[in-house]
Amino acid sequence: MRWISYDTSNLRGDLFGGVTAGIVALPLALAFGVQSGLGAIAGLYGAIGLGIFAAIFGGTRTQISGPTGPMTVVSSLVILTAIESTGSLEKGFGLIISIFFIAGALLVIFGLCKLGTYIKYIPYPVVSGFMTGIGVIIIVFQFFPTLGQSSPSSIIGVFQGLPTALASLNLDTIILTGATIAIIYTFPKITKLIPSPLVALLLVSGISSWVSLNVPLIGDIPSGFPEIRLGEWSLSGMDLGLLIKLSLTLALLGAIDSLLTSMVADNVTKTKHDSNRELIGQGIGNMFAASIGGLPGAGATMRTLVNINSGGRTRLSGVVHGIVLLTILMGLGVYAAQIPLAVLAGILITMGVGIIDYKGIR
């Protein structure tokens, strides 16, 4: 990391790329936070902590990191398991962030042991099947929020409870989710200068608030700088073997997710990333995110491509992306609390559809 040799000709592109990526990341961070069960603020904290530190210490100059679909699905499993082990989210919170922190530490170890070079040996069908499965899971978990109700914690629970949910559906939430999806897919035909998920988030949420629809909202979101939660860590309440298994699963998934995105970035920018350094950067970022109660994450393909296409060329763009989210957190938390959950469901459905590997299925 040689900031002293920074080429100022990249400054305009890095600033614009980072700001654009931060705007795109906002609705996704909020949605992934709600999806995980920790709340919207956890997604935002994860995007801020991971986004800044992974950019500084990572091995891919244009990488944008934060909570991703695959990492959120596994994080949800960690959270559910911790709740079952301790009896409640409050009692299990220390255990949850401890597992997230250990996963980050394992990523650092992977990098130091130079395991990043082995990513090329993972068979494509394995990655394809995994990503498609994750996409389907994300979509299924949006059934209940779309109907205006809280989603069960398991896929089986979703399908078992679906008949009851359909009998008491909320037409307003269905309309909001449908409008969100429609805007995300149609707005790029008008212009691609403004990210369509952000347009959908602002427009549909604004209309919902204006006409006072009776729909579930995100609710209170803390504002101000995140607090360090070191004193709340705990390793009690869960079998040690299960704790290690969950931490290792998160770390391995984070490594695969990040390095695949790094290869995509290399292909677009015609550069070459440092796989082992990228793992170290992702590990440090996830450790910091866990320290402030944020979700773990990895390199995010869509946000990275948005950054590159908007002019981002160095690590500064990733740092700017994180600072943009921190600035939003400082002043707009009260407005984010009014976002309907149905709007986030629409964003996540389009995200799930995008994750599915249709080429692999064929």
Side-chain angles (χ1 to χ4, degrees), residues 49-50 53-59 65 107-108 111 275-287:
L50 181 58
F53 284 87
I56 294 174
F57 296 103
S65 301
L107 277 168
V108 173
S275 296
N276 297 312
R277 178 172 174 176
E278 183 61 33
L279 293 182
I280 293 173
Q282 292 292 331
I284 293 173
N286 275 295
M287 290 165 68

Side-chain angles (χ1 to χ4, degrees), residues 71 74 99-100 102-108 110 244-258 279 282 286 296-298:
M71 290 293 281
V74 178
I99 293 173
F100 292 168
I102 293 172
L106 287 173
L107 277 168
V108 173
F110 291 168
I244 295 174
K245 178 182 177 181
L246 291 172
S247 302
L248 186 59
T249 301
L250 270 175
L252 289 172
L253 177 57
I256 295 171
D257 209 358
S258 298
L279 293 182
Q282 292 292 331
N286 275 295

Side-chain angles (χ1 to χ4, degrees), residues 32 35-38 67-82 96 99-100 103 130-131 133-135 137-138 141 153 238 242-257 295-298 355:
F32 286 137
Q35 168 80 32
S36 72
L38 273 187
T68 64
M71 290 293 281
T72 300
V73 170
V74 178
S75 297
S76 300
L77 174 62
V78 171
I79 294 164
L80 178 61
T81 304
I96 292 168
I99 293 173
F100 292 168
F130 179 81
M131 297 302 290
I134 290 295
I137 289 173
I138 290 175
F141 271 123
S153 56
M238 181 181 292
L242 179 58
L243 188 149
I244 295 174
K245 178 182 177 181
L246 291 172
S247 302
L248 186 59
T249 301
L250 270 175
L252 289 172
L253 177 57
I256 295 171
D257 209 358
L295 280 184
I355 289 176

Side-chain angles (χ1 to χ4, degrees), residues 167-292:
S168 57
L169 59 83
N170 185 329
L171 185 59
D172 289 341
T173 58
I174 295 176
I175 293 173
L176 292 181
T177 300
T180 301
I181 294 172
I183 291 172
I184 289 175
Y185 284 132
T186 59
F187 191 79
K189 297 178 180 179
I190 301 174
T191 177
K192 294 183 179 180
L193 294 177
I194 306 174
S196 61
L198 180 67
V199 174
L201 178 74
L202 296 177
L203 184 58
V204 181
S205 298
I207 293 174
S208 174
S209 178
W210 179 50
V211 300
S212 300
L213 293 180
N214 183 24
V215 296
L217 306 176
I218 287 180
D220 292 338
I221 295 180
S223 59
F225 281 103
E227 297 180 1
I228 300 297
R229 312 290 290 270
L230 298 176
E232 299 178 42
W233 291 359
S234 171
L235 296 179
S236 61
M238 181 181 292
D239 176 72
L240 181 60
L242 179 58
L243 188 149
I244 295 174
K245 178 182 177 181
L246 291 172
S247 302
L248 186 59
T249 301
L250 270 175
L252 289 172
L253 177 57
I256 295 171
D257 209 358
S258 298
L259 295 183
L260 287 176
T261 301
S262 295
M263 289 192 290
V264 171
D266 284 352
N267 185 54
V268 175
T269 60
K270 309 304 179 186
T271 57
K272 185 173 178 59
H273 73 279
D274 184 330
S275 296
N276 297 312
R277 178 172 174 176
E278 183 61 33
L279 293 182
I280 293 173
Q282 292 292 331
I284 293 173
N286 275 295
M287 290 165 68
F288 183 81
S291 300
I292 58 176

Side-chain angles (χ1 to χ4, degrees), residues 122-132 357 360:
I122 298 177
Y124 172 74
V126 174
V127 177
S128 172
F130 179 81
M131 297 302 290
T132 297
D357 184 6

